[in-house]
Amino acid sequence: MPNSTTVTEFLLMRFSDVWNFRVLHAMLFLMMYLATLLGNLLIVTVTTLTQSLHTPMYFFLRNLSVLDMCYISVTVPKACVIFLLDNRVISMVGCAAQIFLVILFAFAELLFLTIMARDRYVAICQPLYYPVIMNPRACVQMTLTSVFSGLIYAGVHTGNAFRLSFCHSNVVHQFFCDVPSLLKLSCSDTLSNEIVIFVSAVVIVGGCFIFIIMSYIHIFSAVLKLPTRGERGKVFSTCVPHILVVTVFVISVTAMYLKPTSNSPTTQDMIISLFYSVVPPFLNPIIYSLRNKQIKEAIRRVMSRMLYSGK
């Protein structure tokens, strides 16, 4: 039986081997990628240049946009390459880097969404304490803590995955490298890996999700007490899409990472992975920012300023 030293590279999977479908998938991925970069870059630019948007909420939106641009850039460009070219190879180092970055950005994304839910909770339910609780120093500290804890979290899972021996196959049944797919290829005992994944998912992912849901329950309770239907409708129309995006993100992550590794690989796994690796970065600018009246007005002002200066 070959040992881990014989595996120096992995082969990623496509959704289809039919050329027409490969081109279609590449075009769809590329359009989503460019739309994600454009939308998030627009949010970063507008929230940076507009002085009135230098508040904690837009500070976190700006950070989330930067994170989303990095997050989707880890998987989609490489996926487009394997869709269009005959070369599906990714090196061992490249696979490790992809796993590390995907986990880092997914973890940071979850923490950012949790912080943003708390920001809205404090703003609506404790408005008098908002300037004290969400002061600039606290916002920076929460952001740095999210990133540094993500580095540690990603390092632990990546290190655990690559201490294993791979001898069953070098075909990763996914369009990017991820831990569940690698565990299926290992000829080592993966029980400890599965326990670490399960415990961390339940404690961290489950804890963040419960915190987010509880925050929005308190927000909705406070909103129902508002005197006018228009004010209530405005908050509900903003918060409900947030909850839907978070729910899809969390469910897809848990479905992939808590699924038994003995299950046979299917296209369904690849589709599920889209809902935590590609869809959130694509939807976040639309859900969190571009539907926001202040963002829309700021975009118009920035565009007008650019057009005026260009004359």
Side-chain angles (χ1 to χ4, degrees):
M1 180 179 292
N3 57 36
S4 61
T5 58
T6 62
V7 179
T8 58
E9 59 189 24
F10 295 100
L11 298 178
L12 299 176
M13 292 286 289
R14 307 184 185 103
F15 287 93
S16 173
D17 287 327
V18 178
W19 172 248
N20 290 342
F21 287 124
R22 286 164 56 184
V23 173
L24 176 62
H25 296 154
M27 289 178 62
L28 290 174
F29 268 55
L30 183 60
M31 286 190 293
M32 290 184 70
Y33 180 61
L34 294 177
T36 300
L37 292 184
L38 180 61
N40 284 294
L41 186 60
L42 187 61
I43 300 306
V44 172
T45 303
V46 168
T47 54
T48 301
L49 296 179
T50 306
Q51 190 66 33
S52 61
L53 299 183
H54 290 182
T55 63
M57 182 178 76
Y58 295 107
F59 171 78
F60 290 122
L61 281 175
R62 182 164 58 250
N63 289 337
L64 182 66
S65 293
V66 173
L67 177 70
D68 282 336
M69 286 190 287
C70 297
Y71 188 13
I72 198 169
S73 296
V74 175
T75 57
V76 171
K78 180 64 177 179
C80 290
V81 170
I82 67 170
F83 292 159
L84 292 177
L85 303 182
D86 290 331
N87 186 5
R88 298 187 290 122
V89 173
I90 184 170
S91 66
M92 182 79 77
V93 173
C95 187
Q98 204 170 48
I99 286 178
F100 178 84
L101 292 174
V102 165
I103 295 176
L104 166 62
F105 293 134
F107 183 87
E109 175 112 357
L110 180 62
L111 292 187
F112 276 15
L113 294 174
T114 305
I115 293 169
M116 290 166 67
R118 173 169 172 76
D119 174 78
R120 292 299 82 208
Y121 163 74
V122 176
I124 294 173
C125 300
Q126 298 177 324
L128 296 179
Y129 295 99
Y130 185 78
V132 177
I133 297 175
M134 304 302 294
N135 63 77
R137 182 178 179 181
C139 293
V140 172
Q141 287 176 341
M142 285 187 283
T143 300
L144 293 177
T145 300
S146 298
V147 174
F148 286 129
S149 57
L151 289 171
I152 296 172
Y153 186 81
V156 168
H157 284 287
T158 305
N160 274 344
F162 281 89
R163 69 176 177 77
L164 301 173
S165 299
F166 302 103
C167 54
H168 291 164
S169 171
N170 71 334
V171 179
V172 179
H173 291 273
Q174 192 55 270
F175 64 91
F176 64 93
C177 282
D178 68 346
V179 173
S181 298
L182 281 191
L183 294 185
K184 295 174 184 178
L185 307 181
S186 176
C187 49
S188 305
D189 182 10
T190 61
L191 179 61
S192 61
N193 296 72
E194 293 176 34
I195 291 174
V196 171
I197 290 172
F198 180 82
V199 172
S200 61
V202 170
V203 174
I204 298 174
V205 179
C208 288
F209 185 64
I210 291 172
F211 183 89
I212 291 170
I213 295 300
M214 292 303 296
S215 297
Y216 280 114
I217 288 174
H218 288 299
I219 289 171
F220 290 153
S221 299
V223 168
L224 290 174
K225 298 175 184 177
L226 293 175
T228 62
R229 181 177 297 179
E231 291 176 334
R232 293 196 296 268
K234 181 180 177 181
V235 176
F236 279 122
S237 66
T238 302
C239 293
V240 170
H242 295 188
I243 296 174
L244 291 177
V245 171
V246 172
T247 302
V248 169
F249 179 71
V250 169
I251 289 177
S252 58
V253 168
T254 54
M256 280 300 300
Y257 280 78
L258 297 186
K259 188 176 181 180
T261 57
S262 58
N263 285 15
S264 59
T266 62
T267 305
Q268 182 182 359
D269 291 339
M270 298 172 67
I271 294 174
I272 291 174
S273 67
L274 286 173
F275 287 96
Y276 71 84
S277 63
V278 178
V279 172
F282 174 71
L283 287 182
N284 281 340
I286 302 170
I287 297 298
Y288 283 91
S289 303
L290 298 181
R291 297 171 67 253
N292 184 293
K293 185 178 179 181
Q294 286 180 288
I295 290 285
K296 289 179 181 178
E297 292 176 353
I299 290 174
R300 282 195 289 267
R301 287 197 298 269
V302 170
M303 291 298 183
S304 299
R305 198 183 311 161
M306 290 173 64
L307 291 173
Y308 181 78
S309 62
K311 293 180 179 180

